[in-house]
């Protein structure tokens, strides 16, 4: 138990002169545009972390090709041509591309600025991994914008490049199919020999239908470059539109792409004409501020209130952190929480470190749903995860040691129902160390609170304080069950505080 332990190594116009569309087609197109306008009015906020766990070193010059499309300088007022004279005109234009204000730069690199904007996908390659363009995939209209780190600023040459391509398709189903295909291509990276998967993250938000970021690394052609190329590809669908955002840079160590995650969320909102999270809506029909409604930081547990893990001395105590790579809230989690269909989600993670290892972890997520039926269905799904604990793409396959049990009466924090289970998975030090995790799901009105709390021990579990327990350890002065209960109560109290 002397080495650091990580829970996971994780993660798709009519042609000119075509026959006139039928009335049903035209009506469907109109319904599509109306749905988008409603999304602009009703889109809420989605909080996502944008913390990067350290500097990245780039040790080569000439990163990527500049756009050579002869399109005019960036202008958000240029409108796209109508896909068909017989269908309602699309509102899809350059204005749906992200701007500098939507992008988050990795510390310590300077802010991103626009370099070139295209009508279309440009004439040079914008993603090394993708061998098929959005046009090849059936896009009706595409736009592209390239960004570079602000020239002349310190470390600008090391930041790499960033670009965004957006496309409109004939239907939401078609867009989602293209997104899935492109995401698979971003992971397998058929365009580069020897590319290896480095990590992944989900991309979630109210207007987003589906999205993820896949990161691959590969060796440079330049033998003098003492780093590897890293291409991070965010592929996001929202309604009938698809966003492909690509960041390429030279790196020596992998850092979870949380800044790209936040940038992709903002870009997805912009793509459908909605204000990104945290930006005031300019729609005249909007009443109230979306940023002031729903989940917020007050719904997350404060690390200073967590009970101390006394048997492991730590000068830091419980320290909030951004997992790298990203980790699920529950070890038995089958899919990313976005698959449960929440309208909003916030999460936080804490760790207890000794001088040589991480020995305690707390993961909390609070999910808001459209109504109580949706929340109840999600609760049942999480219960199934906790019981079956399937091996899954999130990179963990624990053993369930205690099936979900009703613990509502123990919590005394007001949930409609709550269940707890326990699971174990091995540490990575090659010895007998085990992570002992307690998992909780609690339901209250339209909200779920999930808690994953794990301690490193083994082969016996952490001490219960019972001297008759064959695994009793007299050198452990604290009580594992009491700690579990205190963490769960605090998380639920915060998670539903604004509903009581």
């Amino acid at each position: 138990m002397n080495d650091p332990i990580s829970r996971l190594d994780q993660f798709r116009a009519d042609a000119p002169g075509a026959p006139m569309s039928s009335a049903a087609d035209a009506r469907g197109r109109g319904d599509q545009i109306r749905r988008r306008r409603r999304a602009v009015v009703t889109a809420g906020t989605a909080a996502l972390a944008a913390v990067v766990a350290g500097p990245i070193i780039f040790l080569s010059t000439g990163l990527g090709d500049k756009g050579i499309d002869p399109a005019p300088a960036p202008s958000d007022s240029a409108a796209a041509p109508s896909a068909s004279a017989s269908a309602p005109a699309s509102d899809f234009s350059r204005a749906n591309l992200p701007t500098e204000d939507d992008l988050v730069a990795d510390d310590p690199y300077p802010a991103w600025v626009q370099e070139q904007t295209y009508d279309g996908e440009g004439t040079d390659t914008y993603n090394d991994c993708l061998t098929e363009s959005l046009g090849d995939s059936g896009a009706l209209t595409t736009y592209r914008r390239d960004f570079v780190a602000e020239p002349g600023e310190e470390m600008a040459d090391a930041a790499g490049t960033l670009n965004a391509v957006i496309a409109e398709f004939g239907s939401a189903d078609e867009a989602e199919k293209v997104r899935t295909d492109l995401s698979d291509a971003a992971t397998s990276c058929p365009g580069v020999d020897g590319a290896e998967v480095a990590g992944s993250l989900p991309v979630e938000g109210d207007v987003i239908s589906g999205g993820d970021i896949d990161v691959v690394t590969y060796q440079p052609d330049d033998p003098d470059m003492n780093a590897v190329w890293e291409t991070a590809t965010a592929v996001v669908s929202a309604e009938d539109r698809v966003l492909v955002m690509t960041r390429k840079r030279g790196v020596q160590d992998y850092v979870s792409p949380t800044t790209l995650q936040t940038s992709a969320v903002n870009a997805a909102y912009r793509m459908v004409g909605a204000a990104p999270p945290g930006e005031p809506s300019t729609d005249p029909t909007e009443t109230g501020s979306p940023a002031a409604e729903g989940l917020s930081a007050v719904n997350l547990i404060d690390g200073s209130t967590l009970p101390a893990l006394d048997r492991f001395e730590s000068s830091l105590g419980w320290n909030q952190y951004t997992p790298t790579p990203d980790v699920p809230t529950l070890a038995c989690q089958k899919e990313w929480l976005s698959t449960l269909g929440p309208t909003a989600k916030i999460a936080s993670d804490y760790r207890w470190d000794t001088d040589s290892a991480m020995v305690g972890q707390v993961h909390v997520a609070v999910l808001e749903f459209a109504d109580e039926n949706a929340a109840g269905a999600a609760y049942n799904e999480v219960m199934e995860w906790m019981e079956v604990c399937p091996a899954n793409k999130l990179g963990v396959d624990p053993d369930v040691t205690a099936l979900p049990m009703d613990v509502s009466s123990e919590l005394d924090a007001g949930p409609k129902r709550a269940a707890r289970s326990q699971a174990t998975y091995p540490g990575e030090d090659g010895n007998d160390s085990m992570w002992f995790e307690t998992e909780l799901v609690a339901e209250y009105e339209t909200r779920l609170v999930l808690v994953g709390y794990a301690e490193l021990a083994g082969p016996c579990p952490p001490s219960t304080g019972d001297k008759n327990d064959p695994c009793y350890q007299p050198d452990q002065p604290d009580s594992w069950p009491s700690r579990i209960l205190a963490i769960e109560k605090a998380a639920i109290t915060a998670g539903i505080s604004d509903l009581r």
Side-chain angles (χ1 to χ4, degrees), residues 63-64 128 159-162 218 229-232 246-250:
L63 185 66
D128 290 346
T161 59
L162 180 70
Y218 42 95
W229 285 119
E230 176 192 82
T231 293
T246 306
R247 187 192 65 201
K248 180 180 177 181
R249 59 188 178 183

Side-chain angles (χ1 to χ4, degrees), residues 12 29 32-33 36-37 40 80 89-93 95-97 134 139 141 143 165-179 207-210 235-244 267-274:
R12 182 169 341 158
R29 182 63 176 159
Q32 181 179 322
I33 292 172
R36 184 177 305 115
R37 287 173 180 160
V40 173
S90 172
D91 56 355
F92 192 53
S93 72
N96 297 104
L97 284 163
L134 287 162
T141 310
Y143 299 99
V165 182
I166 57 175
E168 186 172 53
F169 291 84
S171 68
D173 288 344
E174 185 180 358
E176 177 58 20
K177 183 179 186 305
V178 172
R179 184 200 69 79
V207 305
I208 294 173
S209 304
V235 188
V236 184
S237 62
E239 302 176 19
D240 57 347
R241 299 177 181 178
V242 171
L243 162 73
V244 178
Y269 276 73
R270 190 76 66 188
M271 179 172 64
V272 297

Side-chain angles (χ1 to χ4, degrees), residues 67 89 100 106 123 146 178 261 347 393 395 404 476:
E100 298 98 327
D106 294 293
T123 58
D146 295 345
V178 172
Q261 184 187 50
K393 66 181 182 182
Q476 296 184 10

Side-chain angles (χ1 to χ4, degrees), residues 176-472:
E176 177 58 20
K177 183 179 186 305
V178 172
R179 184 200 69 79
T180 301
D181 291 345
L182 291 177
S183 181
D184 290 343
T187 303
S188 60
C189 200
V192 178
D193 291 335
E196 298 182 354
V197 176
S200 64
L201 280 180
V203 180
E204 305 167 328
D206 289 353
V207 305
I208 294 173
S209 304
D212 47 50
I213 299 172
D214 296 291
V215 186
V216 298
T217 58
Y218 42 95
Q219 292 297 321
D221 294 330
D222 183 358
D224 296 328
M225 178 177 169
N226 61 337
V228 296
W229 285 119
E230 176 192 82
T231 293
T233 308
V235 188
V236 184
S237 62
E239 302 176 19
D240 57 347
R241 299 177 181 178
V242 171
L243 162 73
V244 178
M245 183 173 280
T246 306
R247 187 192 65 201
K248 180 180 177 181
R249 59 188 178 183
V251 302
Q252 289 184 323
D253 298 300
Y254 170 77
V255 175
S256 187
T258 50
T259 55
L260 183 63
Q261 184 187 50
T262 302
S263 299
V265 171
N266 293 338
Y269 276 73
R270 190 76 66 188
M271 179 172 64
V272 297
E279 178 179 304
S281 173
T282 58
D283 193 288
T285 65
E286 185 70 60
T287 57
S289 171
E293 300 174 0
L295 300 175
S296 68
V298 301
N299 297 117
L300 290 173
I301 194 171
D302 184 342
S304 65
T305 66
L306 295 172
L309 191 46
D310 291 336
R311 63 192 176 92
F312 291 110
E313 293 185 5
S314 171
S315 59
L316 296 175
W318 288 106
N319 180 40
Q320 188 170 15
Y321 77 111
T322 300
T324 305
D326 193 56
V327 300
T329 302
L330 307 177
C332 287
Q333 195 171 308
K334 180 181 180 181
E335 301 284 355
W336 294 114
L337 297 180
S338 58
T339 63
L340 297 172
T343 59
K345 185 200 81 171
I346 54 175
S348 60
D349 303 89
Y350 300 89
R351 58 190 290 167
W352 186 281
D353 289 282
T354 65
D355 291 338
S356 59
M358 176 172 67
V359 295
Q361 301 181 73
V362 177
H363 305 281
V364 178
V366 184
L367 283 66
E368 180 71 38
F369 293 86
D371 53 44
E372 293 189 22
N373 288 334
Y379 179 93
N380 293 335
E381 179 71 10
V382 175
M383 282 275 286
E384 183 176 338
W385 294 351
M386 292 163 58
E387 182 171 353
V388 178
C389 205
N392 56 78
K393 66 181 182 182
L394 303 190
V396 63
D397 184 20
D399 293 323
V400 179
T401 58
L403 294 176
M405 63 190 76
D406 181 9
V407 292
S408 302
S409 58
E410 289 184 34
L411 295 166
D412 191 30
K416 173 182 177 181
R417 53 179 175 163
R420 180 194 299 138
S421 67
Q422 290 180 348
T424 62
Y425 49 96
E428 294 182 349
D429 58 6
N431 298 318
D432 292 329
S433 65
M434 298 287 294
W435 281 105
F436 290 82
E437 173 159 307
T438 300
E439 309 188 335
L440 177 91
V441 56
E443 177 188 3
Y444 185 85
E445 295 182 1
T446 59
R447 195 166 292 175
L448 295 189
V449 178
L450 279 66
V451 182
Y453 171 53
E455 288 187 24
L456 190 65
C460 284
S463 175
T464 63
D466 182 357
K467 294 183 179 181
N468 296 318
D469 188 330
C471 283
Y472 172 68

Side-chain angles (χ1 to χ4, degrees), residues 13-26:
D14 299 329
M20 180 177 293
S21 299
S22 67
D25 290 342

